[in-house]
Amino acid sequence: MKYDFDLIVIGAGSGGVRCARIAASHGARVAVVEKQYWGGTCVNIGCVPKKLMVYASNFNNQVKDSHGYGWDTVPGHHHWPEFIEAKNKEIKRLNNIYISMLERAGVNLFTGHASFKDDHTLKISSSVLSDEKAEDKFITGKHIVIATGSSPTKLDIEGNEYAITSDEAFYLSKRPENIAIIGSGYIALEFAGIFAGLGSYVDLVYRQPVPLRGFDQDIRQAVYDAIEQRKDIIQHVKAHPKKIIKQGEQYHLYLDNGEVVQTDCVFFATGRHPNLSGLNLEKIGIEKGKKGEIIVNEDFETRIPHIYAIGDVIDFVNLTPVAIAQGHALADRLFGNKIRKSNYDYIPKAVFFNPPIGSIGLTEEEAALRGAVDIYISNFTSMRYSLTERKVKTFIKMIVDQSSQKVVGLHIVGDDAPEMLQGFSVAVAAGLTKAVFDETIGIHPTSAEEIVTLRQVARVTDKQN
Ligand code: NDP
């Protein structure tokens, strides 16, 4: 009982909350310190409000598509302030659920900014939520977990103070008619889909020839083609922003290819960096990597063995379910005397664009480096669009290792891709062979049945070709 707590978690995001709850369920005395957002980025300014915005943005097309099915539905007007208010109310509800969930688990909650006084002691200063300056508190912990997440990174260019990031996009007082989004990763594509779906014109500016670097090349091309089909998103490829100049109510975004994009709003979706400032990590000698991430071993231990880091601060795969898996495994190991395994080799991924993208396993390029692979492709317009004016393609790509016949990659662009992919990810993660997929009876009529009816090898790729 030398310390106030067996475990202190800094940061009440997805990973931190899971770690705290599981540790408490194993009987540990646990505290969580949170500066601002109970539930962290995912609940407040990430996955959850983003998905609500994606839902909001999809109704527009559904109204148009309904005409092909005999409806005379008239497109309405989207009321942004009402929507944001409803979204905020839901987020508040979730904040309270997180707080009560932790309290019910017996976790002690501290609202404020934590910094290390020494390697077992944290100073907790006033919260950014409170106007009143409270006395600093000091608490000690036998084990301390850093789970403070990440924040958006703005490009270092002239006029970047005019640009917003996803943090602000969730709280805009009005929807911009025109918006220039920089980047072509998860956040750029998801918000391009959201704003375009709600009626904005989007200029998508990125430095690659096709979006989503890191994804399979055919998937990237399919997404590029899907965007080209739309009239509400203009792609400015191989382009890099140089400066932003304010002109009255508008902004002029100068690109290195000579173009000037005139817009109501510039949005940087150019990556994120770990939230580590003010923690005083230097004082206790925590080691950081090149991107400012905390360096940990496979047990999430920093250089100081009783201080751990999980989630975006270690910059492994920065996804909510990964942080949750890490927090759970750490709590089980420290207090439950259990080893909890997760399959980090096969992490399913989704980008909630319209059409959405789901992906697991190796890209064709990665797989071919390990040996010859059979590529199966299906590219079709799903039944949903047989009666509609709008035609949206579904693109499915399966990568099969030739020698073992295991499915090592599965990538989908199209309606419901993330939902399909989550189910099939179990099969891929389990190392099932193509023959097992073939033996599985399809569900008819669905798009997903294509995954178990891929018959023709489209091509064979190996590292030689
Ligand atoms: P991403 O890493 O996905 O994308 C960053 C984008 O910014 C890329 O297009 C990148 O270009 C571009 N970029 C970076 N630096 C520069 C630069 N100096 N100049 C020009 N362009 C630049 O990051 P996001 O911000 O979109 O998202 C952060 C992370 O959050 C994601 O990686 C993901 O882990 C997570 N996330 C997950 C979601 C989901 O699961 N659906 C949703 C949202 C976020 P290039 O490709 O050329 O490097």
Side-chain angles (χ1 to χ4, degrees):
M1 301 296 276
K2 189 172 154 212
Y3 302 104
D4 299 330
F5 299 100
D6 299 319
L7 174 74
I8 305 175
V9 179
I10 313 174
S14 306
V17 166
R18 175 61 68 93
C19 187
R21 278 178 57 211
I22 300 299
S25 75
H26 290 312
R29 297 168 304 135
V30 182
V32 175
V33 190
E34 169 56 49
K35 183 167 70 165
Q36 187 173 14
Y37 289 125
W38 290 93
T41 298
C42 176
V43 170
N44 293 274
I45 45 171
C47 332
V48 173
K50 177 277 303 289
K51 191 80 188 278
L52 295 176
M53 288 172 131
V54 169
Y55 286 132
S57 70
N58 281 342
F59 287 108
N60 209 347
N61 279 329
Q62 285 164 10
V63 169
K64 288 180 205 149
D65 294 344
S66 73
H67 299 161
Y69 285 87
W71 291 91
D72 60 0
T73 325
V74 183
H77 177 73
H78 182 257
H79 299 273
W80 174 271
E82 280 87 335
F83 165 59
I84 295 297
E85 198 186 319
K87 182 268 291 176
N88 291 347
K89 208 170 142 197
E90 173 61 5
I91 300 305
K92 185 96 204 108
R93 189 182 73 83
L94 294 175
N95 290 149
N96 292 334
I97 285 177
Y98 267 76
I99 291 169
S100 58
M101 197 165 62
L102 285 166
E103 283 175 343
R104 272 205 312 275
V107 175
N108 297 269
L109 310 189
F110 294 88
T111 304
H113 183 276
S115 61
F116 282 91
K117 179 167 176 281
D118 60 49
D119 64 1
H120 282 287
T121 311
L122 292 178
K123 178 171 99 172
I124 306 174
S125 316
S126 303
S127 159
V128 290
L129 298 177
S130 157
D131 295 337
E132 286 172 33
K133 195 96 189 99
E135 289 269 294
D136 290 341
K137 288 192 190 84
F138 292 87
I139 56 173
T140 57
K142 184 168 181 215
H143 302 277
I144 300 179
V145 177
I146 304 166
T148 44
S150 64
S151 292
T153 305
K154 283 185 172 183
L155 295 187
D156 186 16
I157 58 167
E158 183 186 334
N160 71 0
E161 68 276 17
Y162 299 126
I164 65 162
T165 66
S166 55
D167 285 1
E168 295 80 32
F170 290 111
Y171 293 102
L172 292 175
S173 57
K174 81 178 218 242
R175 178 180 56 77
E177 281 307 313
N178 297 280
I179 184 164
I181 300 182
I182 322 293
S184 65
Y186 288 80
I187 295 179
L189 282 195
E190 291 182 345
F191 275 96
I194 288 167
F195 281 112
L198 292 174
S200 304
Y201 286 95
V202 179
D203 286 285
L204 188 63
V205 177
Y206 57 91
R207 61 185 177 181
Q208 301 294 329
V210 285
L212 288 176
R213 187 172 60 83
F215 281 73
D216 183 273
Q217 192 60 31
D218 283 339
I219 292 299
R220 298 178 67 190
Q221 188 63 47
V223 175
Y224 175 89
D225 294 344
I227 300 175
E228 284 296 291
Q229 266 210 339
R230 306 176 60 139
K231 295 187 182 67
D232 47 11
I233 304 177
I234 304 293
Q235 304 189 81
H236 305 259
V237 303
K238 297 189 197 166
H240 200 278
K242 277 170 65 180
K243 61 178 175 184
I244 306 166
I245 305 281
K246 191 169 185 340
Q247 291 278 341
E249 291 302 296
Q250 280 219 314
Y251 300 97
H252 290 189
L253 174 67
Y254 288 78
L255 307 182
D256 62 352
N257 61 9
E259 272 186 274
V260 182
V261 177
Q262 297 186 21
T263 185
D264 302 327
C265 182
V266 180
F267 180 147
F268 282 127
T270 42
R272 299 175 67 88
H273 58 271
N275 290 331
L276 298 176
S277 70
L279 280 174
N280 223 2
L281 296 183
E282 300 68 27
K283 182 169 179 190
I284 55 167
I286 298 272
E287 209 183 350
K288 289 196 212 158
K290 280 201 188 101
K291 285 153 85 190
E293 78 283 10
I294 296 180
I295 295 179
V296 290
N297 65 15
E298 58 184 10
D299 289 328
F300 309 109
E301 285 170 358
T302 67
R303 261 188 65 207
I304 303 168
H306 64 269
I307 300 181
Y308 313 84
I310 57 170
D312 286 10
V313 291
I314 63 172
D315 195 31
F316 167 55
V317 174
N318 298 333
L319 299 173
T320 291
V322 173
I324 290 174
Q326 293 170 344
H328 198 137
L330 180 59
D332 270 357
R333 188 174 68 77
L334 291 181
F335 303 106
N337 199 22
K338 284 199 257 188
I339 302 298
R340 186 183 169 84
K341 285 207 299 187
S342 290
N343 186 338
Y344 294 120
D345 294 333
Y346 284 96
I347 298 174
K349 295 174 184 150
V351 184
F352 295 95
F353 181 58
N354 190 350
I357 299 117
S359 170
I360 186 165
L362 303 177
T363 65
E364 181 175 342
E365 298 80 1
E366 289 164 347
L369 286 176
R370 301 182 181 188
V373 283
D374 294 334
I375 306 297
Y376 294 84
I377 285 174
S378 178
N379 193 10
F380 60 97
T381 303
S382 79
M383 194 180 194
R384 184 188 181 283
Y385 297 101
S386 48
L387 303 182
T388 60
E389 198 177 304
R390 203 171 63 99
K391 306 285 176 202
V392 177
K393 289 258 185 195
T394 295
F395 181 88
I396 295 174
K397 176 168 178 180
M398 182 184 278
I399 299 163
V400 179
D401 172 63
Q402 237 183 23
S403 62
S404 67
Q405 279 301 299
K406 283 184 180 170
V407 176
V408 292
L410 183 60
H411 311 279
I412 309 171
V413 183
D415 286 349
D416 304 319
E419 301 288 344
M420 284 190 240
L421 208 278
Q422 178 67 86
F424 278 102
S425 65
V426 180
V428 178
L432 298 188
T433 60
K434 175 73 167 64
V436 181
F437 281 69
D438 294 344
E439 286 161 14
T440 305
I441 306 289
I443 300 174
H444 188 70
T446 61
S447 294
E449 71 181 312
E450 290 288 320
I451 299 169
V452 293
T453 54
L454 291 165
R455 296 277 170 261
Q456 207 65 41
V457 176
R459 60 177 174 268
V460 175
T461 309
D462 63 32
K463 54 192 164 212
Q464 273 83 44
N465 60 35

